[in-house]
Amino acid sequence: MTTTDSTDVVVAEQPKHFKPRHPYQVLRTLPKDATPAQQDSAIQAAFQPKEVRYSNMPDTLHLPGYGKGKSALEVKQLPKYYKESFFANDSLFHPERSGGRYGVAGETVPYTIRGDNAMTIILLIGFISMIISASGSRQFIVRQLKSIFYIPKNFDMAMSETSSELRFQLYMVALTSLLYAVIILYYSTRYISDTYIIDSHYQLTSIFFGITFVYFIFKSLIYTIVNWTFFGMRKNLHWLKTSLFIISSEGMLLFPVVLLLSFFNLNVKTALIITIIILILVKTVTFYKSNAIFFRIKSHFLQNILYFCALEIVPLASFVGFAATIINILKINF
């Protein structure tokens, strides 16, 4: 190896067939004490920069359905797969886009009617319509309350209710079914399961409403069959008016419970206790009226117990069992 002054470096003599392909190979031929200026001179002597000339031949490697590739200098004419990668639509490929939730998902917020606009509107409309109808039928309500505790000697065959009063009582039967459906919905989602094969709470409420409404119709049907078989028409008409009013009164008593449960965070357990108390009160009044209308003779008191158990307790137990079966079918078992 021969050297000149400190500014020039002559690359070591190499075989003619050897041509360095990497700067590392050139730097290995220099002495260990070569300065950075000497290393730079050696690199420039070994490698001569040349002008880059792009091929004018068309690109024949293209995807099926796309045209042949054109000049790489014309970006606007390039196919779409040259400008977009496979991950172009991926959220992780674009940091400016939202990539999803960070951390671990927490517990879902439980369903409440207070946060459901549709159910809130239905309950408010039901409450307002009940107040308006009850204010227009005050005399009828007072007369019916008196008839519960006053037993006439002769039952009047004529129906004392007007058509509007009869429609009000039928409306209260449907409203009572809806109130029981809401209570069952809260009980099932709180104590049984919060996940069901039906995602919509409207459908669950509709199912519970249908079960409750069918229960009232079925009970009225068996009452009609039994009463018209063993008792006269006057007693049957009086019982029909009384039972319809009792169900309407049951809905009026349940409405404050549902409102407190839905909008004022009343505990579900407390609401269930109040509902059971209302149910016991209603059944007690029903037992008293059936005894006063059909079994006035003291010796028939045992028959009244059998009558009450067969037409009130058995249908109620069947309703509870059927509702529990439907809930077990609808819930998701993990």
Side-chain angles (χ1 to χ4, degrees), residues 123-186:
L123 289 179
L124 290 179
I125 291 176
F127 179 73
I128 294 173
S129 60
M130 183 189 69
I131 295 299
I132 295 175
S133 300
S135 62
S137 305
R138 285 178 295 180
Q139 296 181 356
F140 166 73
I141 295 174
V142 172
R143 187 170 64 250
Q144 289 289 349
L145 287 174
K146 290 181 179 179
S147 66
I148 290 178
F149 302 99
Y150 172 72
I151 307 301
K153 295 181 180 180
N154 296 320
F155 298 103
D156 189 6
M157 293 179 57
M159 295 292 290
S160 60
E161 292 89 346
T162 62
S163 59
S164 60
E165 294 170 348
L166 183 60
R167 286 195 299 269
F168 166 69
Q169 293 182 92
L170 294 176
Y171 167 74
M172 286 303 303
V173 173
L175 187 59
T176 304
S177 302
L178 178 62
L179 297 177
Y180 271 118
V182 173
I183 294 174
I184 295 173
L185 176 66
Y186 270 101

Side-chain angles (χ1 to χ4, degrees), residues 20-41:
R21 301 180 60 184
H22 303 285
Y24 172 74
Q25 296 174 347
V26 178
L27 296 177
R28 287 186 61 186
T29 61
L30 298 177
K32 295 182 180 181
D33 58 348
T35 62
Q38 294 174 343
Q39 295 176 359
D40 183 66
S41 299

Side-chain angles (χ1 to χ4, degrees), residues 260-297:
L260 292 174
L261 181 63
S262 302
F263 303 107
F264 297 96
N265 295 327
L266 179 64
N267 190 7
V268 178
K269 184 177 180 180
T270 305
L272 290 175
I273 294 174
I274 298 174
T275 303
I276 293 174
I277 293 174
I278 293 174
L279 191 60
I280 293 174
L281 178 62
V282 169
K283 298 305 179 184
T284 303
V285 174
T286 303
F287 178 80
Y288 169 76
K289 288 300 295 183
S290 63
N291 182 74
I293 295 175
F294 301 115
F295 307 98
R296 288 192 179 183
I297 305 175

Side-chain angles (χ1 to χ4, degrees), residues 196-213:
Y196 293 87
I197 59 177
I198 299 177
D199 296 331
S200 175
H201 287 84
Y202 302 127
Q203 296 179 2
L204 285 174
T205 307
S206 300
I207 292 174
F208 298 148
F209 170 79
I211 295 173
T212 310
F213 193 72

Side-chain angles (χ1 to χ4, degrees), residues 87-88 90-100 102:
F87 302 98
D90 192 350
S91 61
L92 300 178
F93 188 74
H94 298 276
E96 71 277 4
R97 297 182 182 178
S98 176
Y102 294 96

